[in-house]
Amino acid sequence: MNKVSIMVASIFTVAVAATTNLPNAVVLIKKAKDSGLEPMPSGKALMQYQQQKIKDTGIAKEYSPLLTKEQIELGKKLYFDPRLSSSNLISCNTCHNLALAGTDVIPAAIGHKWAANPHNLNSPTVLNSVFNDVQFWDGRANHLGDQAQGPIQNPVEMNTQPNLATQKIISIPEYVAEFKRAYGSNVKIDFKLIADTIALYEMTLVTPSRYDDFLLGNTKALSKEEQEGLDIFIEKGCVACHSGINLGGSMQAFQVVDTYKFAKVGDFKGNEDGLVKAPTLRNILQTAPYFHNGQYWEINDAIKEMGRIQLGIELTDKEVHSIATFFKSLDGKMPVVSYPVLPTVNSKTPKPSF
């Protein structure tokens, strides 16, 4: 055999080996599900999931039915209304911008009087937050209704006490009318219902992706390269923390094997047990910077750091690239959002304070 023949035979052998090493799609789907990964529910199944969440968490429990069109539209207006802040400048959408994949794309959130988050915490995406087990980095809120109350009151976020927020809404006749349309003429507008209504809207902000199609049996939904990345993601143990529907959203140990390179940026140490909410990986390529204190801007660097501190392994550049390629399949279909026209204030509406 001459040199050319040997070279051709070698190339053919390498090509065959590479092909046979690619994961079988059907087997990979089963492997993913066995590892705790779940597709996002859709249609009737999604409605059932949302309703069960509402029941389990007690959101607007005094009223029925819930998650109606009127409630969702009202929740959207409240979500976008900066007058829920004392300055009339900051809304939920300020830090969880729906035009920016539900984030603010800066390392630490900026709030009242241009103050940065005192713990240097990054704003998590609001998209798909309905699928989280808990809310906030330290998991202190069990559901979106509780979470929505926090930033409104926080002095370095929206800086509005509950009675002032309620007073602002009640002073606007159009809002009062909308609450009656949403919950009935006997509705009692209070701070909890305002926050719960925002939560009902947030529960609709979901982004199904090709990844979900793949887990549901469409073997062609992911490219071979993406499938390979998913396989490595599973094999390396990333699913230990990033599993379930949201590939995250539960409380997990942090710095398991080694110390996070930027651990001293901010004073956040997790909850009382040192646990941190694992962020969702859905739309992860759109939500930089990464980690609780927003110190990594490049996804490859973030993946490599996670391998080191969580798994105790040095991921190769090829493995990192492969996992990042899989992440492309997690880019979902963004919800269509029309910016609402907000009701007009009147002489009874409390004036902004700075």
Side-chain angles (χ1 to χ4, degrees), residues 106-142:
I106 54 177
I110 300 295
H112 186 63
K113 292 187 177 181
W114 207 244
N117 183 282
H119 308 293
N120 211 91
L121 290 175
N122 177 256
S123 298
T125 179
V126 70
L127 298 178
N128 306 301
S129 55
V130 65
F131 301 119
N132 290 338
D133 293 342
V134 293
Q135 309 297 331
F136 292 115
W137 285 106
D138 62 2
R140 66 184 182 275
N142 291 321

Side-chain angles (χ1 to χ4, degrees), residues 49-280:
Y49 183 94
Q50 292 165 327
Q51 291 295 340
Q52 188 61 51
K53 273 270 185 171
I54 290 170
K55 181 180 179 181
D56 292 344
T57 56
I59 289 176
K61 62 182 179 181
E62 300 87 350
Y63 303 97
S64 181
L66 291 174
L67 215 64
T68 65
K69 290 181 180 179
E70 292 79 10
Q71 293 161 0
I72 294 169
E73 184 61 26
L74 174 56
K76 180 172 75 171
K77 287 185 177 182
L78 295 169
Y79 182 90
F80 279 96
D81 199 331
R83 293 167 302 187
L84 278 175
S85 67
S86 63
S87 64
N88 283 8
L89 290 172
I90 302 170
S91 70
C92 301
N93 193 63
T94 302
C95 291
H96 305 284
N97 194 320
L98 298 184
L100 296 170
T103 68
D104 53 12
V105 296
I106 54 177
I110 300 295
H112 186 63
K113 292 187 177 181
W114 207 244
N117 183 282
H119 308 293
N120 211 91
L121 290 175
N122 177 256
S123 298
T125 179
V126 70
L127 298 178
N128 306 301
S129 55
V130 65
F131 301 119
N132 290 338
D133 293 342
V134 293
Q135 309 297 331
F136 292 115
W137 285 106
D138 62 2
R140 66 184 182 275
N142 291 321
H143 60 82
L144 287 169
D146 279 350
Q147 188 280 330
Q149 293 187 37
I152 296 174
Q153 301 178 74
N154 194 310
V156 294
E157 294 186 59
M158 297 171 74
N159 190 45
T160 306
Q161 290 306 302
N163 61 337
L164 178 58
T166 305
Q167 188 180 353
K168 283 189 172 190
I169 297 303
I170 291 177
S171 74
I172 302 173
E174 189 176 334
Y175 262 141
V176 174
E178 290 199 36
F179 267 94
K180 289 181 177 180
R181 284 196 294 270
Y183 295 104
S185 58
N186 294 323
V187 63
K188 179 185 177 182
I189 303 174
D190 57 17
F191 185 61
K192 180 180 184 301
L193 187 60
I194 291 169
D196 283 354
T197 305
I198 293 172
L200 291 176
Y201 172 61
E202 291 175 332
M203 292 177 75
T204 69
L205 301 175
V206 300
T207 65
S209 68
R210 291 185 293 111
Y211 162 79
D212 299 299
D213 295 336
F214 182 74
L215 289 189
L216 290 169
N218 181 356
T219 58
K220 295 183 179 179
L222 268 59
S223 68
K224 288 295 184 183
E225 291 76 17
E226 289 168 338
Q227 290 181 40
E228 184 178 3
L230 171 57
D231 192 52
I232 293 173
F233 181 81
I234 296 169
E235 285 293 323
K236 294 298 180 180
C238 306
V239 288
C241 295
H242 296 283
S243 58
I245 296 173
N246 232 8
L247 296 94
S250 61
M251 298 302 290
Q252 301 290 339
F254 186 59
Q255 303 182 104
V256 175
V257 180
D258 207 341
T259 303
Y260 170 45
K261 182 179 179 180
F262 298 104
K264 293 183 180 180
V265 178
D267 61 359
F268 180 70
K269 305 298 182 185
N271 68 6
E272 59 183 9
D273 298 316
L275 303 180
V276 176
K277 185 192 74 175
T280 175

